[in-house]
Amino acid sequence: MIKEPMRVYLDNNSTTPCDPRVVDTMVPYFYQKPGNSASRNHPFGWEAEEGVDYAREQIAALLKVDPKEIIFTSGATESDNLAIKGVFEMYKSKGNHIITVTTEHKAVLDTCDKLTEAGAEITYLKVAEDGLIDLAELEAAIKSTTILVSVMWANNETGVIQPMKEIGDICEKHGVLFMSDATQAVGKIPTYPKEIGVHLMAWTSHKMYGPKGVGALYVSRKSPRVKVTAQMDGGGHERGMRSGTLNVPGIVGFGKAAEIARLEMHSDAERLNKLRNRLEHELTSRLEECYINGNVDHRMPHVTNISFKHVEGEGLMMTFNQNIAVSSGSACTSASLEPSYVLVALGLGDDLAHSSIRFSLGRFTTEEEVDFAVEKLVAGVNHMRDLSPIWEMYKEGVDLSNVQWSEH
Amino acid sequence: MAYSEKVLEHFQHPKNVGTLDKSKSTVGTGLVGAPECGDVMRLQIEVDPSTQTIIDAKFKTFGCGSAIASSSLATEWLKGKTIEQALTIDNMDIVEELALPPVKIHCSVLAEDAIKGAIADYQSKNGIAVTAMAAAH
Ligand SMILES: Cc1ncc(COP(=O)(O)O)c(C=O)c1O
Ligand code: FES
């Protein structure tokens, strides 16, 4: 018998596997319970609606909010678009100014960018070297025309967690809405919008062990009562904010995933924190010149982003990508050769940004897998350094900033 | 994106990795790219002055798998060629041999530039008129 090569998945920030318990709850909704949750006049519709209602409750319990405050969408990208464009359209008579951060996901940045065509003014807050925003800078940026502050809960590349409560307090003080892309945080750490003062919160099921293609937007209904202008016209589902037949099996799975997260989040986080620290410790003690990117005290428990100096990330991944799945901050795939804008925003030189690898552990990651990944990484970095002319120069004591490079 | 068998082979078992003594008059060094761009290639040749033939070639590359494979292949092709023959190596020959996809063409351009840079360095060190021109890109 040929033994399958060991395959280790450390790319859980891209997407998580669907928990088998989630899959089990979804299965009946494909065939036995095929109804449209909007069909009011027969048991097929009632059954589907019950499934959706239950999921809405499971999700609301995870966030400690009212089920009516949950709007189902197709994922975080749609939720980000709905929140930001929907708030802009709903409140533009009050002002046109939106504040966000340079390290946000493209679903937020490009949405804001698009709104400038419709007359929005956007302020992009910078982050410090550790990835955190400056609260004084945020407060100073708020003006009479500001209608929305959009800050992600945890960053997808570094895992850095923003000071959410402090941001919520500032928004409350100035009477502006606070929206958060919480895609990387929900179900992994407590995310209670009402305690924090978050009025809109976007995320997706497939990063919390639920199925792909389903997400949600939390929209506060009481103090303040927030409304967003629908971005698609149609049957007026989801309290008029998001038309379209609901993805019933997906939503049922999303609900189950939320319930599991509520019950297991703390033990998962504790276990993954230990594994992540083990991975980090092994790599940084066995390899010279590695740097952890982002604030290590305000960080998701299962994520680490490490730059391996003088090794190009994409090449490094090629040494082990038959066995280990991770992400690289080097997007060296086109003539433009752009490194991760998130890492560049942290002040990393382009060379260190090109040398970075993101490891994101998950519920199904084992200690054995982490140890296997460490061995592969150490071998890969050494292989790449043996091949690297700049590692050789560095070892010879050449000051690389004095070399005449021929940029192309 | 999957890599071609040939890229994988050169990447896993690169040929002619190493360093030649750049102080020797018979050695030419080409260093192209920049760390900020995510790729740096250093290609060196050693020439037999009596025949103008390349007797050895070595490389080190910081970059993606395609860049490493391109430089490994280039050193293999260079050995035994005269300077004149070496100057005819075109980046598209590398693209074809390694089956590089369009987004990886610049890695092969880098290899051609490194070859030309190494030859130019050898020529100028030895007072020979420089005939190598960097590839247009
Ligand atoms: C922070 C953040 N926002 C939004 C998204 C988009 O999620 P989806 O692809 O489910 O729309 C992602 C996923 O990559 C993310 O990490
Ligand atoms: S060296 Fe940048 S993609 Fe090949």
Side-chain angles (χ1 to χ4, degrees):
Chain A
M1 199 176 84
I2 300 166
K3 200 163 170 272
E4 284 279 316
M6 184 154 173
R7 291 204 322 180
V8 177
Y9 188 70
L10 299 179
D11 200 16
N12 286 276
N13 278 16
S14 291
T15 191
T16 49
C18 208
D19 193 301
R21 293 169 287 180
V22 166
V23 179
D24 289 346
T25 57
M26 292 171 69
V27 169
Y29 288 89
F30 287 101
Y31 186 77
Q32 285 106 318
K33 302 181 180 182
N36 183 327
S37 58
S39 297
R40 290 283 148 79
N41 300 314
H42 52 66
F44 294 89
W46 302 334
E47 228 167 44
E49 191 185 18
E50 265 168 38
V52 168
D53 285 348
Y54 188 61
R56 215 185 287 277
E57 282 168 25
Q58 290 169 309
I59 290 164
L62 175 66
L63 310 187
K64 299 189 183 171
V65 301
D66 187 319
K68 292 198 194 72
E69 297 179 307
I70 303 297
I71 307 292
F72 287 118
T73 66
S74 62
T77 300
E78 188 192 339
S79 298
D80 284 333
N81 271 267
L82 176 57
I84 297 169
K85 291 177 180 162
V87 162
F88 180 74
E89 285 172 33
M90 185 62 71
Y91 298 97
K92 65 178 171 220
S93 62
K94 295 205 170 125
N96 68 339
H97 183 225
I98 296 175
I99 299 171
T100 186
V101 185
T102 53
T103 50
E104 292 290 307
H105 192 268
K106 286 284 177 195
V108 168
L109 292 178
D110 289 358
T111 299
C112 288
D113 203 39
K114 188 64 151 286
L115 283 180
T116 58
E117 289 166 21
E121 185 202 341
I122 315 290
T123 297
Y124 297 95
L125 300 176
K126 293 194 187 61
V127 294
E129 266 176 29
D130 62 0
L132 295 176
I133 63 164
D134 179 343
L135 294 167
E137 201 180 311
L138 164 65
E139 187 154 21
I142 296 177
K143 46 190 182 181
S144 60
T145 52
T146 306
I147 49 173
L148 181 69
V149 169
S150 180
V151 179
M152 74 200 313
W153 206 298
N155 186 268
N156 42 305
E157 290 191 34
T158 58
V160 167
I161 301 171
Q162 294 294 345
M164 296 301 288
K165 180 70 180 126
E166 289 79 358
I167 300 170
D169 290 347
I170 291 171
C171 291
E172 159 122 50
K173 180 172 152 198
H174 294 274
V176 299
L177 292 176
F178 181 18
M179 128 91 186
S180 183
D181 177 340
T183 306
Q184 295 292 347
V186 175
K188 318 262 174 63
I189 57 172
T191 47
Y192 306 130
K194 290 186 193 303
E195 287 178 15
I196 299 294
V198 165
H199 308 117
L200 299 115
M201 187 168 92
W203 84 103
T204 190
S205 146
H206 74 89
K207 311 238 192 215
M208 47 177 281
Y209 312 98
K212 293 170 183 55
V214 53
L217 180 66
Y218 158 81
V219 184
S220 168
R221 251 166 76 87
K222 267 205 291 257
S223 56
R225 182 179 176 84
V226 179
K227 288 183 101 173
V228 294
T229 303
Q231 298 299 305
M232 294 191 297
D233 299 309
H237 306 70
E238 299 297 278
R239 296 172 41 233
M241 288 190 250
R242 203 278 191 177
S243 287
T245 295
L246 294 181
N247 171 0
V248 177
I251 288 168
V252 166
F254 188 10
K256 183 66 184 178
E259 183 185 285
I260 298 171
R262 182 171 58 81
L263 299 171
E264 299 180 5
M265 162 164 58
H266 297 283
S267 54
D268 273 354
E270 202 183 325
R271 192 181 70 86
L272 292 177
N273 190 40
K274 284 203 192 107
L275 282 185
R276 189 269 314 270
N277 293 349
R278 180 185 177 100
L279 173 76
E280 226 167 44
H281 174 79
E282 285 295 312
L283 289 176
T284 54
S285 59
R286 288 174 60 183
L287 291 165
E288 299 170 74
E289 296 292 318
C290 346
Y291 302 92
I292 297 168
N293 298 314
N295 189 304
V296 294
D297 299 316
H298 300 276
R299 197 165 51 143
M300 295 297 288
H302 61 284
V303 185
T304 181
N305 187 307
I306 307 180
S307 287
F308 301 93
K309 205 166 182 182
H310 304 322
V311 170
E312 195 272 329
E314 194 186 327
L316 173 59
M317 286 210 298
M318 209 173 137
T319 65
F320 52 68
N321 64 8
Q322 300 297 317
N323 303 100
I324 305 205
V326 293
S327 274
S328 161
S330 180
C332 199
T333 51
S334 69
S336 68
L337 305 176
E338 275 180 30
S340 145
Y341 67 90
V342 171
L343 296 180
V344 171
L346 265 62
L348 256 72
D350 283 2
D351 53 339
L352 273 185
H354 277 300
S355 302
S356 75
I357 297 284
R358 175 189 73 186
F359 303 87
S360 44
L361 283 52
R363 183 178 290 160
F364 306 106
T365 306
T366 65
E367 187 172 304
E368 186 196 4
E369 289 179 330
V370 166
D371 292 346
F372 178 72
V374 166
E375 296 308 322
K376 288 280 175 189
L377 253 295
V378 169
V381 170
N382 286 332
H383 178 72
M384 294 304 282
R385 282 182 174 166
D386 286 345
L387 283 174
S388 171
I390 51 180
W391 178 252
E392 183 185 300
M393 289 172 169
Y394 163 77
K395 279 289 179 183
E396 286 169 354
V398 176
D399 181 352
L400 294 171
S401 59
N402 288 337
V403 176
Q404 269 287 326
W405 302 109
S406 60
E407 316 214 359
H408 56 289
Chain B
M1 179 189 56
Y3 291 91
S4 73
E5 285 294 326
K6 283 185 177 150
V7 169
L8 281 174
E9 174 54 29
H10 276 287
F11 179 77
Q12 280 156 0
H13 308 286
K15 309 292 179 318
N16 311 310
V17 178
T19 308
L20 298 174
D21 179 0
K22 63 173 178 285
S23 65
K24 278 167 78 175
S25 67
T26 50
V27 170
T29 301
L31 181 67
V32 295
E36 294 75 39
C37 305
D39 39 35
V40 176
M41 205 176 270
R42 190 192 64 200
L43 195 146
Q44 294 181 301
I45 52 170
E46 179 159 15
V47 181
D48 175 349
S50 62
T51 56
Q52 292 295 305
T53 303
I54 297 167
I55 51 175
D56 201 2
K58 296 265 185 235
F59 84 95
K60 279 202 177 187
T61 292
F62 162 85
C64 74
S66 303
I68 287 164
S70 296
S71 28
S72 169
L73 176 66
T75 54
E76 285 219 286
W77 279 356
L78 285 172
K79 285 206 247 179
K81 282 204 168 55
T82 63
I83 296 271
E84 211 173 306
Q85 289 167 336
L87 284 171
T88 65
I89 295 174
D90 185 82
N91 81 290
M92 289 313 289
D93 302 335
I94 297 172
V95 170
E96 208 172 302
E97 174 67 18
L98 295 177
L100 297 182
V103 293
K104 294 295 182 184
I105 288 177
H106 79 272
C107 317
S108 70
V109 172
L110 216 58
E112 184 186 330
D113 282 354
I115 294 173
K116 301 223 151 107
I119 293 174
D121 182 50
Y122 167 76
Q123 291 176 325
S124 64
K125 258 183 173 173
N126 290 279
I128 305 169
V130 174
T131 51
M133 300 265 281
H137 52 271

